[in-house]
Amino acid sequence: MSGRIAFILRRFLQAIPILLAIIIINFLLLKLAPGDAADVLAGEAGSATPEYMAELRAKFGLDKPVPVQLAQYVGRVLMLDFGYSFRHDMPVAQLVIDRLGPTLILMVTTILLAVGFGILLGLLAATGLNTWRDNVISILALVSYATPLFWVGLMLIVVFSINLGWFPTSGMETIAAFHTGWARVLDIAHHLVLPAITLSLFYLALYTRLMRASMLEQAGMDYVITARAKGLSERRITFRHVLRNALLPVVTMAGVQVSSLIGGSVIVETVFGWPGLGQLAFESLFARDLNLLMGIFFLSAVLVLIVNLIVDILYTLLDPRIELK
Amino acid sequence: MTDLTEQLPEGEAPNLRARALGFWRLFARNRPAVLGLAILIGVIVLAAIAPIIYPDNPFSLAGRPMSPPFGEWIFGTDTLGRDVMAGIAHGARTSLMIGLVATVVAVVFGTLMGALAGYYGGWIDDLLMRITEVFQTIPSFVFAILLVAIMSPSIQSIIIAIAVVSWPALARLVRGEFLSMKNREFVQASVVMGVPDWKIILIQILPNCLSPVIVAGSLLVATAILIESGLSFLGLGDPNVMSWGFQVGAGRTVLRRAWWICTFPGVAILLTVLAINLVGEGLNDALNPRLRERKG
Amino acid sequence: MTAPLVDIRNLHVALPDGADRPYAVEDLSMTLNAGEIVCVVGESGSGKSLTARAMMGLLPEPRVRASAGQIIFGGRDLLQLPKHERRLLCGEQLSMIFQEPMTALNPLMTVGRQIEEVLIVHTSLSAAERMERVLALLAEVHLPDPPRIAASYPHQLSGGQRQRAMIAMALIMDPKVLVADEPTTALDVTTQAQILKLIRELQHLHGTGVMFITHDFGVVAEVADRILVMQHGKVVETGTADQILNRPEAPYTRALIRAIPSLTPRSRTPIEGVPILKVEDLDKTYRQSGLLAKGREVHAAKDVSFTLKRGETIGIVGESGSGKSTVARMIVRLLQPDGGRIDLHGIDLAPLSKRQLKPHRRRVQMVFQDPYASLNPRRKIGEIICEGPVANGVPKSKAMARARELLGLVGLKPEVAERFPHEFSGGQRQRIGLARALAMDPEVLVADEPVSALDVSVQAQVLELLAEIRDRLGLSVVFITHDLRVAAQVCDTIVVMSKGEVVEHGTLAEVFADPKHAYTRELLASIPGKDWQIPELAEAGAV
């Protein structure tokens, strides 16, 4: 028990240097970018005298040596101050927090869909090894695994929105309708269907393949032979013994894949006009709103760390050997 | 007795040609992999002959905008009247080139880092593991977007961005292989005999971990092509070079009226990535006999 | 005479097409009576394990299957039984224990739960009754604190405890037949002795018929009532324990028994050479660094000292975790000692840096344990042997000529220099490994369990070769082994290690005749088959 808590605590502490490293990368990218905050601000203002620029730089601390700037930057980020978005005329932190909700809705739905159905399909494929069931699932997984997200999104829009008219093409809710309560939830769910399917398809394929391979690997283990020697039925062996062992790599992979899921959500949110962080990132990309982009980048990394911590906790519940690692 | 009297196999050690033939037999046992190879060869041929069959700049206007497919232009024209098929042919060059170069850069750098970390351990290893942890945390596609945006979109910046987000996974793989190989007795024998480190790394260990690197590398090409198409779909492609992602992105706004502009370049991406994945699995089966046993 | 418990008639186990032989087991007939232990003995590839699997219906079908014959149990042919009925016999009437209890148990389920599962499938007992039975069985296999063991996961138990738990699992339904597939091979010798005793005890108590698969004639001598010897899938000889062990008929059995190293120390004139290697107070501690938890320390070696004279063979014996391999690895400087001296001809190797060490590397060489891991699969034999000399400045052509010469010395044809390792058997590979070490012209040879991965007949040849080359070249040898029989045949002096420390040190004859330390006595008492006087067999009709 104490081993488990120590493990989780250790993982938590390990996240801190990673967070620091990400802040430093953030800072370096900002430095690398052509033009500094003063240039941007001056550009916004339209004209600027060299004196005004110098004044601005002094105000932002840009005249100080780089290590001092770094320290100041780290300090600011830790206070959740990511600067100001002149394009939106709002503090970056405020903007980003506002857009977090829709992204979380999309991500959580996607993870649940992908992991849940991935495990189920992988299980179905592995238990019917080399039957038509296995072949169909494997081929579908293979194709989904190779399909670019944006294209799936567009094709789904063509079929289900444009031709069949079942789902809306974009947005998170019908703005003009002013739904409240359950009606609003249903409305959002209706809008969520296509983006969630699009984003989950690739990961669904990934988890299906992983689960299938993992089941097959575990089925060849010695403890399965022991279970047969005990007289257990194949059904019991599959569900009581193999399944749980096979889940371990899938859970690990689910944690690893969260970071790529956020990348995918940039594309999916852009395609479906889903008002989350990804769409915000796309907009700020073309507005050259670097402060905002960095804020999103940092927040998404924090999100990954949090999800990984949750996955670690889940893992300790599944694997009693964790204290050894 | 049994051991000594045991006959040594007669005949020469298998030559290169026989080994290549044996490898092909193993590879060809995986039927989908052969199909994948066929598709991949098709794409490569298309890329090779693109300047011959479509000598004009793929950005040049071919005819009436948004002509439907299977008419004068096999896959129709886009919003500005550019031939979609010409774009696909030239896009094949871009995709394959970026996928290949980015992968080579990532593989070389990742292998170097992984080998050093795995062989020497200590602080090099600690540093590498911390770096890969950071890279696993950073959403790699978002990072790639940032890098390209900051360096401004071009073939070079896209290749650098893809390589930067791809090498840590490879370094981790190679490190793992080196860690297990380092304790193999044949490596220890070399250490005891005073063989220099670089020779042990290059001659004893590296050839024995090439199989997983080749397989991972081949799958990396597929991933790189997907990243590239995503970047150019978002408008971060090299503005002077035709690419599949750009074509899909450009057709997005007229999805309702001209479905084909998005559809066919997307199919091209799908087929290419699928083909490379299939070939990668075939390589895995042929290079990794243990897994093959399990399948049978 | 009553009908036997199990009657196997003309069993054939077919291998898939393309295997090196059509049948893994060919025309095997045997019987097993209640209350007796029948040992099935054979070297690797003899088909003994597949015979056990066939009996339990655990063959990896459809690739490997029982293609002909009968296994009569309780008046019915098990091979003809519907799958469902056969499955229900397993665990209830027939049960099995395995070689590796760590992998044979599900890592994610408590031991108690895994044992209880047998009761869930085969009985309609209530949960409380089941728990009671489980605890009773755990007590019967002499596990301390049964409730704690039942609540433990496999990784929390020691190897011996895991095997006891496996035995409890196998015996909980009081089966008529127990199949034991090398149940003590993965265990240390003292634990092995305890488990063998336990199996005998329980088998006697319940009148179980035991089919005991093993490669070790020592173990056979400990437990067998009757013996069946297998080679290449066929039964070579069968008879009572006394017949086979003391008056074997078949040439193969005779060759096998002749190859077993005798426990009587081989008399050798005492070595009067000058000391060549002095190991003093060698230390090595492994620290597990933890961020929060206090780092655990393991003393892999503590104050290890001994002296090796020219021409002498010193044996370092001990069980796993005793630190014997750590000491070997420190002597060849694969591991950096934390403290102490490794004095070779007056030069202390212990503190030397990699660069300083280089000129001295040549003088201490190593022969490794695993014949399959010790040769690089991608290099030709000649290249493997030349590598060391070439790295030390010998011209390639000269090194190659010497390599051919050495191959001849270790009993292989010089032409094999052009071949790759996968073309050779385990014993041949160990010869190549020896040639590689000799290519450096060493003065001291450190041999780390050089024969423990080999079959007994091959083992004898490699040991013989090692002794011959040692005498011819005047080598001094540090011989690491867990097998006291092997030690008795090759060593002049013995160092007994336990938990990183030397507990006893003396000449072979002294230590064997009059062990001073309690651990040494336990070790000697645990040698399987120690009371069996291996018969002197003439080498008539060699295999």
Side-chain angles (χ1 to χ4, degrees):
Chain A
M1 258 314 166
S2 65
R4 178 174 298 161
I5 290 164
F7 172 79
I8 293 169
L9 212 63
R10 196 165 64 236
R11 300 295 291 185
F12 189 76
L13 290 181
Q14 278 169 356
I16 293 172
I18 295 178
L19 210 58
L20 268 178
I22 291 169
I23 297 176
I24 294 171
I25 291 177
N26 246 340
F27 175 77
L28 292 179
L29 286 177
L30 273 173
K31 283 275 126 195
L32 214 74
D36 56 21
D39 289 321
V40 174
L41 209 60
E44 292 287 321
S47 68
T49 59
E51 292 78 31
Y52 179 60
M53 293 286 287
E55 196 183 312
L56 271 178
R57 291 208 164 88
K59 189 176 156 202
F60 288 112
L62 293 171
D63 53 346
K64 302 220 171 62
V66 172
V68 177
Q69 289 186 38
L70 174 62
Q72 284 177 338
Y73 183 79
V74 172
R76 281 205 303 276
V77 169
L78 291 179
M79 302 296 292
L80 296 181
D81 173 10
F82 300 101
Y84 198 78
S85 166
F86 296 98
R87 198 70 55 173
H88 294 263
D89 207 13
M90 263 170 112
V92 167
Q94 183 63 43
L95 258 172
V96 167
I97 297 293
D98 284 351
R99 297 289 196 103
L100 186 59
T103 294
L104 281 183
I105 293 178
L106 180 62
M107 264 182 59
V108 171
T109 314
T110 302
I111 293 175
L112 292 181
L113 271 181
V115 175
F117 281 98
I119 289 171
L120 186 70
L121 290 177
L123 186 70
L124 283 174
T127 50
L129 192 61
N130 294 332
T131 60
W132 65 267
R133 188 171 81 199
D134 176 27
N135 289 335
V136 168
I137 292 174
S138 295
I139 290 172
L140 282 181
L142 206 61
V143 172
S144 309
Y145 192 65
T147 318
L149 282 178
F150 53 86
W151 187 73
V152 180
L154 294 175
M155 291 302 114
L156 289 181
I157 288 177
V158 169
V159 176
F160 293 100
S161 301
I162 297 177
N163 287 338
L164 296 171
W166 289 357
F167 300 103
T169 53
S170 74
M172 188 170 83
E173 49 190 324
T174 321
I175 308 280
F178 299 109
H179 289 298
T180 48
W182 280 110
R184 183 165 179 231
V185 172
L186 278 178
D187 187 40
I188 292 178
H190 190 218
H191 281 80
L192 182 62
V193 174
L194 290 188
I197 290 179
T198 305
L199 189 52
S200 57
L201 211 57
F202 175 84
Y203 300 96
L204 176 64
L206 181 76
Y207 297 133
T208 302
R209 285 155 60 93
L210 191 64
M211 184 67 188
R212 179 178 179 275
S214 183
M215 287 287 290
L216 292 183
E217 174 162 353
Q218 291 296 326
M221 295 300 213
D222 286 354
Y223 68 82
V224 174
I225 296 177
T226 308
R228 287 211 182 95
K230 291 199 293 195
L232 306 193
S233 63
E234 288 301 315
R235 212 184 146 74
R236 193 179 173 95
I237 292 173
T238 302
F239 287 99
R240 290 291 166 94
H241 290 271
V242 177
L243 179 60
R244 198 165 152 202
N245 277 287
L247 276 180
L248 294 180
V250 178
V251 170
T252 307
M253 188 53 112
V256 172
Q257 286 298 327
V258 173
S259 70
S260 98
L261 197 69
I262 289 183
S265 76
V266 175
I267 285 180
V268 170
E269 289 183 14
T270 308
V271 170
F272 287 95
W274 188 263
L277 285 176
Q279 200 197 30
L280 191 62
F282 181 71
E283 290 164 7
S284 54
L285 191 60
F286 286 92
R288 299 211 56 81
D289 193 342
L290 220 52
N291 268 347
L292 182 52
L293 209 51
M294 289 303 171
I296 296 170
F297 182 59
F298 179 75
L299 186 72
S300 55
V302 173
L303 214 57
V304 174
L305 283 174
I306 292 172
V307 175
N308 279 340
L309 205 62
I310 296 173
V311 169
D312 281 340
I313 293 170
L314 260 177
Y315 199 94
T316 62
L317 297 177
L318 279 172
D319 191 347
R321 290 165 296 183
I322 204 73
E323 57 205 78
L324 288 181
K325 286 175 189 166
Chain B
M1 297 211 282
T2 25
D3 190 42
L4 268 190
T5 50
E6 199 172 319
Q7 281 303 303
L8 288 173
E10 290 305 318
E12 284 301 300
N15 60 22
L16 204 62
R17 203 178 140 186
R19 274 162 68 182
L21 203 70
F23 176 81
W24 169 249
R25 265 199 214 106
L26 286 176
F27 182 85
R29 279 220 298 221
N30 183 336
R31 293 285 154 199
V34 179
L35 176 69
L37 189 64
I39 298 175
L40 188 59
I41 289 173
V43 176
I44 292 171
V45 169
L46 179 66
I49 61 171
I52 303 165
I53 50 174
Y54 298 104
D56 294 337
N57 184 338
F59 285 100
S60 67
L61 310 186
R64 199 162 46 82
M66 288 196 272
S67 315
F70 313 119
E72 190 179 342
W73 296 278
I74 175 164
F75 290 152
T77 58
D78 71 2
T79 46
L80 298 177
R82 295 176 290 216
D83 182 355
V84 173
M85 182 59 209
I88 289 178
H90 283 268
R93 296 171 76 84
T94 317
S95 283
L96 290 180
M97 195 271 279
I98 289 180
L100 220 62
V101 177
T103 300
V104 168
V105 175
V107 166
V108 169
F109 191 69
T111 305
L112 188 71
M113 295 300 289
L116 292 178
Y119 188 76
Y120 287 105
W123 68 269
I124 306 182
D125 191 29
D126 282 343
L127 184 70
L128 182 87
M129 290 317 284
R130 292 297 91 76
I131 293 176
T132 56
E133 264 171 41
V134 172
F135 271 81
Q136 278 193 340
T137 306
I138 297 178
S140 60
F141 186 67
V142 179
F143 193 34
I145 290 178
L146 270 177
L147 286 173
V148 175
I150 285 173
M151 291 184 286
S152 78
S154 70
I155 294 258
Q156 288 87 344
S157 66
I158 292 172
I159 288 174
I160 292 172
I162 294 175
V164 165
V165 300
S166 306
W167 74 266
L170 230 106
R172 242 185 136 92
L173 173 84
V174 174
R175 170 187 176 269
E177 290 290 317
F178 263 69
L179 271 183
S180 79
M181 282 288 165
K182 187 173 74 170
N183 291 320
R184 289 287 180 87
E185 291 178 344
F186 69 81
V187 176
Q188 300 199 327
S190 299
V191 175
V192 171
M193 292 186 299
V195 179
D197 287 344
W198 66 269
K199 253 189 168 172
I200 295 180
I201 291 176
L202 280 182
I203 297 177
Q204 300 289 343
I205 305 184
L206 201 57
N208 282 298
C209 13
L210 274 185
S211 306
V213 172
I214 290 172
V215 172
S218 69
L219 297 178
L220 205 57
V221 176
T223 315
I225 289 177
L226 279 179
I227 296 180
E228 187 275 330
S229 73
L231 286 172
S232 44
F233 170 77
L234 290 179
L236 288 171
D238 189 325
N240 304 314
V241 179
M242 183 52 81
S243 85
W244 293 337
F246 166 79
Q247 286 186 289
V248 178
R252 223 186 111 193
T253 46
V254 292
L255 199 54
R256 214 171 270 276
R257 282 177 296 157
W259 55 271
W260 58 88
I261 306 178
C262 287
T263 306
F264 295 112
V267 172
I269 302 173
L270 167 58
L271 281 180
T272 309
V273 172
L274 181 66
I276 296 172
N277 283 341
L278 289 175
V279 171
E281 278 188 16
L283 284 176
N284 193 27
D285 284 3
L287 291 171
N288 195 342
R290 203 172 56 85
L291 283 176
R292 203 171 54 242
E293 279 297 312
R294 204 179 284 146
K295 274 194 175 167
Chain C
M1 212 177 132
T2 52
L5 199 56
V6 183
D7 189 356
I8 302 179
R9 292 178 195 163
N10 310 103
L11 177 70
H12 287 70
V13 174
L15 287 172
D17 297 336
D20 59 341
R21 59 184 202 232
Y23 293 102
V25 178
E26 202 173 338
D27 201 18
L28 177 135
S29 297
M30 69 174 281
T31 58
L32 176 66
N33 296 309
E36 75 168 352
I37 298 184
V38 175
C39 278
V40 179
V41 202
E43 296 186 296
S44 47
S46 62
K48 57 188 190 303
S49 268
L50 285 176
T51 308
R53 296 273 160 113
M55 176 110 150
M56 295 295 293
L58 294 175
L59 291 173
E61 283 168 348
R63 295 183 57 210
V64 178
R65 66 205 162 76
S67 56
Q70 294 170 305
I71 301 177
I72 311 277
F73 172 77
R76 293 185 294 179
D77 179 5
L78 291 182
L79 297 180
Q80 301 301 327
L81 228 50
K83 250 193 160 154
H84 174 72
E85 283 180 49
R86 177 145 201 210
R87 171 169 75 72
L88 286 178
L89 280 179
C90 282
E92 192 190 354
Q93 309 256 357
L94 307 159
S95 61
M96 184 162 181
I97 53 179
F98 299 86
Q99 174 172 346
E100 188 38 86
M102 183 70 218
T103 58
L105 289 167
N106 184 344
L108 304 185
M109 207 186 255
T110 61
V111 168
R113 179 96 185 123
Q114 294 190 51
I115 301 174
E116 189 192 357
E117 239 188 347
V118 183
L119 296 174
I120 294 176
V121 176
H122 296 290
T123 70
S124 48
L125 296 177
S126 71
E129 288 168 320
R130 290 199 300 260
M131 205 56 214
E132 200 181 313
R133 282 279 289 276
V134 169
L135 295 181
L137 243 295
L138 287 174
E140 198 177 325
V141 296
H142 308 307
L143 277 167
D145 196 359
R148 187 184 62 81
I149 299 276
S152 301
Y153 289 96
H155 72 273
Q156 294 166 327
L157 305 181
S158 72
Q161 287 176 326
R162 282 193 285 264
Q163 197 59 294
R164 282 172 195 272
M166 279 297 291
I167 292 172
M169 191 190 307
L171 295 183
I172 195 156
M173 292 301 295
D174 204 358
K176 294 200 168 71
V177 175
L178 176 68
V179 178
D181 187 4
E182 303 256 14
T184 58
T185 307
L187 304 175
D188 274 326
V189 61
T190 49
T191 317
Q192 164 168 286
Q194 293 160 11
I195 295 290
L196 289 178
K197 190 167 154 247
L198 178 72
I199 292 175
R200 271 240 90 133
E201 176 193 325
L202 293 176
Q203 173 263 345
H204 198 69
L205 198 68
H206 298 268
T208 321
V210 178
M211 179 172 174
F212 195 110
I213 314 291
T214 183
H215 68 282
D216 187 339
F217 262 101
V219 170
V220 173
E222 290 287 324
V223 299
D225 295 313
R226 283 193 300 125
I227 299 173
L228 187 111
V229 183
M230 288 184 74
Q231 183 196 19
H232 302 321
K234 290 185 193 127
V235 177
V236 172
E237 188 169 9
T238 172
T240 64
D242 175 54
Q243 275 171 6
I244 304 283
L245 289 174
N246 299 319
R247 295 180 304 281
E249 301 272 326
Y252 177 70
T253 317
R254 295 171 70 89
L256 272 186
I257 289 180
R258 203 181 311 113
I260 301 167
S262 160
L263 262 180
T264 323
R266 188 180 35 91
S267 54
R268 219 177 141 213
T269 45
I271 305 289
E272 294 298 342
V274 284
I276 176 166
L277 177 74
K278 272 191 246 169
V279 172
E280 285 165 22
D281 300 326
L282 218 49
D283 274 317
K284 182 81 194 172
T285 308
Y286 292 109
R287 278 181 193 83
Q288 217 177 19
S289 58
L291 201 63
L292 287 173
K294 200 160 183 249
R296 257 178 296 183
E297 290 196 352
V298 181
H299 290 283
K302 210 168 145 192
D303 298 336
V304 175
S305 306
F306 58 83
T307 303
L308 179 66
K309 286 181 249 175
R310 183 180 293 283
E312 186 184 38
T313 299
I314 193 162
I316 303 183
V317 298
E319 297 182 298
S320 55
S322 63
K324 55 187 193 304
S325 274
T326 304
V327 171
R329 264 146 225 270
M330 284 195 282
I331 295 173
V332 294
R333 279 294 306 273
L334 274 171
L335 282 177
Q336 170 76 48
D338 291 339
R341 289 169 56 81
I342 302 168
D343 190 326
L344 182 73
H345 281 316
I347 301 160
D348 183 9
L349 300 181
L352 296 188
S353 73
K354 220 170 183 172
R355 190 182 303 250
Q356 291 167 322
L357 191 64
K358 195 161 183 204
H360 305 290
R361 280 268 190 215
R362 178 191 72 70
R363 301 160 71 175
V364 186
Q365 284 299 306
M366 190 159 188
V367 178
F368 294 87
Q369 171 176 3
D370 184 350
Y372 293 90
S374 61
L375 305 178
N376 187 341
R378 290 179 193 266
R379 313 215 73 204
K380 288 180 184 169
I381 303 304
E383 292 170 335
I384 288 172
I385 298 175
C386 286
E387 193 195 5
V390 169
N392 285 281
V394 177
K396 181 90 197 247
S397 57
K398 203 174 152 203
M400 197 50 111
R402 173 90 177 119
R404 288 169 186 279
E405 209 176 288
L406 284 168
L407 282 169
L409 186 69
V410 298
L412 294 169
K413 291 187 207 136
E415 301 92 87
V416 304
E418 295 304 312
R419 297 181 188 281
F420 286 92
H422 69 86
E423 300 176 51
F424 298 89
S425 69
Q428 290 169 334
R429 288 182 201 215
Q430 283 309 66
R431 289 168 191 272
I432 295 165
L434 180 60
R436 170 175 60 191
L438 294 178
M440 302 293 287
D441 285 321
E443 293 159 47
V444 176
L445 203 60
V446 179
D448 186 7
E449 303 263 14
V451 295
S452 53
L454 304 176
D455 277 330
V456 63
S457 56
V458 184
Q459 189 175 340
Q461 297 159 21
V462 173
L463 285 177
E464 219 166 88
L465 175 74
L466 200 61
E468 184 195 317
I469 285 176
R470 172 196 61 197
D471 294 343
R472 195 193 300 183
L473 304 180
L475 290 173
S476 314
V477 180
V478 178
F479 196 99
I480 314 292
T481 184
H482 70 283
D483 188 336
L484 287 165
R485 288 181 181 277
V486 169
Q489 290 314 300
V490 290
C491 301
D492 302 303
T493 319
I494 293 263
V495 174
V496 181
M497 286 189 71
S498 171
K499 295 180 184 129
E501 290 183 72
V502 174
V503 296
E504 186 149 2
H505 182 183
T507 67
L508 182 72
E510 279 167 18
V511 174
F512 268 64
D514 182 20
K516 297 277 186 295
H517 195 277
Y519 178 72
T520 315
R521 281 198 290 274
E522 192 193 348
L523 213 53
L524 285 167
S526 301
I527 301 172
K530 61 189 174 304
D531 300 324
W532 168 43
Q533 199 59 46
I534 299 172
E536 296 284 330
L537 298 171
E539 200 166 331
V543 186

